[in-house]
Amino acid sequence: MTYLINLECPQCEQSFSAITAQTYCHDCQSPILARYDLVSAKNRLDRDEYSTSQAGMWRWHDLLPVDNTGRISTLGEGDTPLIQTKRMGKSDRTNQVWIKDESINPTASFKARGLSAAVSKANEVGLNQLVIPTAGNAGSALAAYASRVRLKSAAVMPIDTPRAIIDECRFYGAETILVDGLISDCARIVDEMVESGEWFSVSTFREPYRLEGKKIMGYELAQAFEWQLPNIIIYPTGGGTGLVGMWKAFQELLELGWLEDKNLPKMISVQSSGCAPVVEAFNSGAESCDFWKNAETIAGGIRVPLSLADRLILEILRESAGRAIAVSDLEILEAQAELAREEGLFSSPEGAATLAAYNLLTSSGFITPDDRTILFMTASGVKYI
Ligand SMILES: *Cc1c(COP(=O)(O)O)cnc(C)c1O
Ligand SMILES: [Zn+2]
């Protein structure tokens, strides 16, 4: 069973039903967040029963939003390996860095987690045509999970999306629409499709449940580190679903009383210098981000000019004493080569950006050799060829 109660807007605290389809808070232009009965959960659930014997994200179904487990669309997402680096880093304490290898998820990216949750909940509340504006990976994940439970899907993506991903969407049977523009232009087309009345948008933070799937990365980390969270998490930030999701997981874990100590990780957002709205706002002390004009980077998944969760992202970076940092495409390419050569991992550019950020933050002294650090390798490099 799920302990889900309802959803709430973090800005105005308005509550929303979890039984009907939900989007976001239109009054505040803010995402809404799923709330669970964590008091009952604390009394009844035992953290040690979440053994990895039944692998995958849905073993945490008590803390995921679907009540009718027969409605779940799953392909075995989650429980991705945490690979301790062998040569990474420049000191002799290199074994304090781990790579969360999300490339082994179904559809080869961590978008699988969010779309498994969103499609499952859509399936439970009776939606049957789902559309998404996407840089690619979210589109193929939507298409795969939708086909699994026989829902219709449409992926609206920039024309320069890697060919492998476009083909993948078509194979899964998604209506695949190519747009001569950025993801923000795709979003406008999705808006028109939604207004036509036939389609429901599962765009980042326009629906509340992709976040819930992504938050499980936080639960997995807590469990892997025996309920003592690592010191640093470096996350390639586009919409910020995983960053907001993991922080939400940590708050839930505190309420559940499952953490051995209350020290939460410093959360680091890495963006490309060609599209860095979060970095700019963080450095200028702003509470929200400005739309980034003429966004350009090889890391398509983080080519997001503005996130609906901009305020939440900035709050989390500050509350956790973290940072936002920009890396150039050249630094990303060098880090991609370094990861492959030194560790045997072929990462997407977004994942490689976390290593580029790690290298900068260790040289500046922000990350010390003793810091247990997690780099998120969010997708496989193979998808970008
Ligand atoms: C979507 C995506 C990201 C960014 O994730 P958000 O949660 O939207 O910030 C990073 N890397 C890859 C490979 C992606 O597809
Ligand atoms: Zn609100």
Side-chain angles (χ1 to χ4, degrees):
M1 77 170 257
T2 175
Y3 284 81
L4 181 66
I5 308 171
N6 62 7
L7 302 110
E8 202 175 272
C9 171
Q11 311 295 337
C12 70
E13 289 171 19
Q14 210 177 143
S15 80
F16 299 82
S17 162
I19 294 162
T20 53
Q22 295 298 347
T23 56
Y24 56 98
C25 181
H26 292 261
D27 294 345
C28 305
Q29 292 295 304
S30 166
I32 56 176
L33 306 178
R35 295 287 171 214
Y36 297 80
D37 179 2
L38 296 176
V39 176
S40 302
K42 184 177 181 168
N43 289 332
R44 291 195 216 124
L45 302 179
D46 175 0
R47 70 174 193 196
D48 298 323
E49 275 173 22
Y50 291 87
S51 74
T52 43
S53 53
Q54 185 218 339
M57 179 178 105
W58 289 98
R59 69 194 166 90
W60 305 94
H61 62 88
D62 297 310
L63 302 161
L64 283 167
V66 179
D67 199 36
N68 180 350
T69 49
R71 292 287 170 165
I72 291 174
S73 181
T74 179
L75 291 159
E77 56 293 325
D79 275 332
T80 52
L82 200 51
I83 300 170
Q84 193 160 19
T85 56
K86 289 209 179 287
R87 280 176 291 277
M88 211 102 274
K90 292 171 178 67
S91 74
D92 27 271
R93 300 284 299 274
T94 53
N95 54 355
Q96 295 292 71
V97 178
W98 286 261
I99 294 169
K100 184 77 166 151
D101 180 8
E102 292 292 309
S103 73
I104 63 116
N105 273 304
T107 70
S109 91
F110 75 156
K111 290 292 194 299
R113 295 173 180 269
L115 272 310
S116 173
V119 169
S120 299
K121 187 67 183 182
N123 194 30
E124 184 177 57
V125 302
L127 297 167
N128 45 37
Q129 293 198 187
L130 307 177
V131 61
I132 200 163
T134 173
N137 290 324
S140 60
L142 167 65
Y145 286 96
S147 78
R148 184 97 185 139
V149 287
R150 304 199 153 274
L151 301 189
K152 263 179 117 173
S153 67
V156 186
M157 60 184 82
I159 201 156
D160 59 356
T161 300
R163 183 64 208 225
I165 303 181
I166 298 173
D167 284 351
E168 196 190 352
C169 290
R170 290 189 173 136
F171 269 104
Y172 292 130
E175 203 173 299
T176 304
I177 301 164
L178 301 179
V179 177
D180 189 6
L182 295 178
I183 191 165
S184 36
D185 303 303
C186 299
R188 272 193 289 279
I189 293 174
V190 167
D191 286 344
E192 287 164 22
M193 291 171 74
V194 169
E195 275 158 32
S196 81
E198 281 175 38
W199 293 91
F200 183 82
S201 170
V202 290
S203 174
T204 307
F205 285 118
R206 261 82 179 169
E207 76 81 50
Y209 299 111
R210 283 172 63 185
L211 179 71
E212 295 302 299
K214 286 268 189 85
K215 92 179 171 189
I216 298 301
M217 298 189 299
Y219 281 83
E220 288 175 17
L221 284 179
Q223 190 182 44
F225 284 90
E226 289 168 349
W227 312 100
Q228 278 186 304
L229 293 169
N231 305 103
I232 307 270
I233 293 179
I234 308 185
Y235 185 84
T237 305
T241 333
L243 184 102
V244 177
M246 282 190 278
W247 194 251
K248 182 173 189 284
F250 301 153
Q251 308 305 317
E252 290 174 0
L253 284 163
L254 285 173
E255 280 189 59
L256 288 163
W258 290 1
L259 293 179
E260 288 299 314
D261 69 52
K262 295 195 164 62
N263 292 328
L264 300 186
K266 292 178 180 160
M267 304 298 285
I268 314 285
S269 271
V270 55
Q271 298 196 302
S272 161
S273 42
C275 180
V278 171
V279 180
E280 190 172 87
F282 181 84
N283 290 339
S284 70
E287 281 172 18
S288 61
C289 297
D290 290 332
F291 185 92
W292 188 276
K293 292 192 197 79
N294 306 318
E296 205 182 314
T297 168
I298 51 164
I302 54 175
R303 192 173 61 174
V304 178
L306 182 63
S307 168
L308 192 68
D310 58 338
R311 286 171 181 275
L312 291 175
I313 294 168
L314 290 163
E315 267 171 37
I316 291 164
L317 298 178
R318 291 185 177 125
E319 204 181 314
S320 74
R323 281 275 186 289
I325 182 165
V327 296
S328 69
D329 278 4
L330 184 62
E331 285 167 324
I332 289 175
L333 288 171
E334 282 169 0
Q336 191 181 32
E338 188 185 344
L339 257 180
R341 191 181 58 234
E342 302 294 329
E343 303 290 345
L345 292 166
F346 185 33
S347 173
S348 66
E350 300 84 353
T354 65
L355 176 61
Y358 174 79
N359 289 338
L360 291 174
L361 291 168
T362 44
S363 345
S364 76
F366 182 82
I367 297 178
T368 69
D370 289 333
D371 283 324
R372 292 176 304 152
T373 301
I374 309 297
L375 309 181
F376 266 89
M377 187 173 133
T378 47
S380 165
V382 170
K383 298 199 83 173
Y384 293 67
I385 289 172

